[in-house]
Amino acid sequence: MTTTHDTGAVTLENGPRRRRVPRSVPLPLLVPALVGLAFLLLPLLALLIRAPWRSLPDQLTSPEVWQALQLSLISATAATAVSLVLGVPLAWLLARTDFPGRRLVRALVTLPLVLPPVVGGVALLLALGRNGVVGQWLDSWFGITLPFTTAGVVVAEAFVAMPFLVISVEGTLRAADPRYEEAATTLGASRFTAFRRVTLPLIAPGIAAGAVLAWARALGEFGATITFAGNFPGRTQTMPLAVYLALQNDPAAAIALSLVLLAVSIAVLAGLRDRWTAASS
């Protein structure tokens, strides 16, 4: 057992395990830290305290809630599939290739993370609406109209969720050793075969984590969805939109839907627990 001193910290090593002796927390840091913790947890606790637990099964099985829940699950899964098909190659392009303007492209890819969702919905309308830059051609050539349809919900959710997957996969690609991929190409494999047979298995955990984050973000999307797809029950009304509508007429149903979204968020955090733990160790 060895003991080291680092600015008052004591670290005890016993084989591969290491235990840190906790430091005392200064009062000027402890008080605002506890206030911040209470600020984040109090609304969640209020949601649990005021939840209509006795009528919760009836609320969740009502036709309106079930329609919103079913549509949310389907659209979020479809948006995640779109994000996987388009986002993984995009992440590989940003991580493995060098081209002019790569930093600008990366900034544009991450822009939906900080862009207000309503602005994203307006941008989608201007691009893919019936009179949009691309939407007018989709309508006249193929008869495809995306706004205010279930497909529009998927497009809006994929727009805001894909950056989460791209960032996760790109980070995993940068951490993976590219020499394995290069060795496969020297043995006669094409770049795509090397990506499919070598790189994909290496980055599978990062893809899974990014897909879960994208799915959770798509499930909770509100602003871009209501702007681009509207709020039509059974067609475009997802759970966040149903919460907003029910809060005005049926607060119990709004709380029930909010509990579902809260449970999904907790499940996502639990599923990614090992990834966060590894990142903080």
Side-chain angles (χ1 to χ4, degrees):
M1 180 179 66
T2 60
T3 304
T4 59
H5 296 270
D6 181 14
T7 63
V10 179
T11 302
L12 301 179
E13 296 182 358
N14 187 7
R17 296 184 178 180
R18 182 166 52 185
R19 181 173 61 88
R20 293 182 180 274
V21 177
R23 304 178 182 180
S24 59
V25 182
L27 188 61
L29 296 179
L30 180 62
V31 172
L34 294 178
V35 172
L37 181 63
F39 174 74
L40 295 175
L41 293 183
L42 183 59
L44 304 179
L45 292 176
L47 182 63
L48 296 175
I49 293 173
R50 294 298 180 89
W53 295 107
R54 293 184 178 179
S55 61
L56 187 60
D58 295 332
Q59 292 289 344
L60 293 180
T61 54
S62 65
E64 297 80 8
V65 172
W66 178 246
Q67 281 184 348
L69 177 60
Q70 187 178 22
L71 179 61
S72 294
L73 296 177
I74 293 174
S75 60
T77 303
T80 304
V82 173
S83 300
L84 284 169
V85 172
L86 303 179
V88 173
L90 179 57
W92 183 89
L93 185 70
L94 294 174
R96 287 286 193 264
T97 61
D98 190 9
F99 57 90
R102 184 176 63 173
R103 292 185 178 179
L104 177 61
V105 172
R106 182 181 291 111
L108 293 176
V109 167
T110 57
L111 185 60
L113 293 175
V114 296
L115 191 70
V118 174
V119 177
V122 173
L124 287 173
L125 276 176
L126 296 177
L128 301 175
R130 180 167 295 179
N131 297 320
V133 176
V134 179
Q136 58 180 334
W137 306 113
L138 291 176
D139 187 22
S140 61
W141 289 356
F142 306 103
I144 297 176
T145 303
L146 292 176
F148 311 110
T149 63
T150 304
V153 175
V154 176
V155 170
E157 292 180 351
F159 177 77
V160 299
M162 189 185 300
F164 288 88
L165 184 135
V166 173
I167 291 176
S168 177
V169 176
E170 184 189 0
T172 306
L173 279 167
R174 291 186 177 278
D177 194 343
R179 290 178 296 180
Y180 294 107
E181 193 172 340
E182 295 172 359
T185 57
T186 58
L187 294 175
S190 64
R191 295 296 299 271
F192 179 72
T193 301
F195 171 78
R196 182 170 54 88
R197 301 292 296 273
V198 178
T199 307
L200 273 182
L202 286 176
I203 65 173
I207 294 177
V212 172
L213 288 174
W215 187 83
R217 180 63 184 89
L219 188 70
E221 168 53 31
F222 176 84
T225 303
I226 196 172
T227 306
F228 183 66
N231 186 16
F232 300 100
R235 189 171 66 182
T236 65
Q237 188 180 86
T238 58
M239 283 198 294
L241 275 62
V243 169
Y244 177 77
L245 184 64
L247 192 59
Q248 306 174 28
N249 305 319
D250 190 0
I255 296 175
L257 280 170
S258 299
L259 287 175
V260 173
L261 292 174
L262 177 62
V264 170
S265 301
I266 294 175
V268 169
L269 290 178
L272 297 177
R273 178 184 59 186
D274 294 338
R275 185 174 177 83
W276 305 139
T277 303
S280 61
S281 61

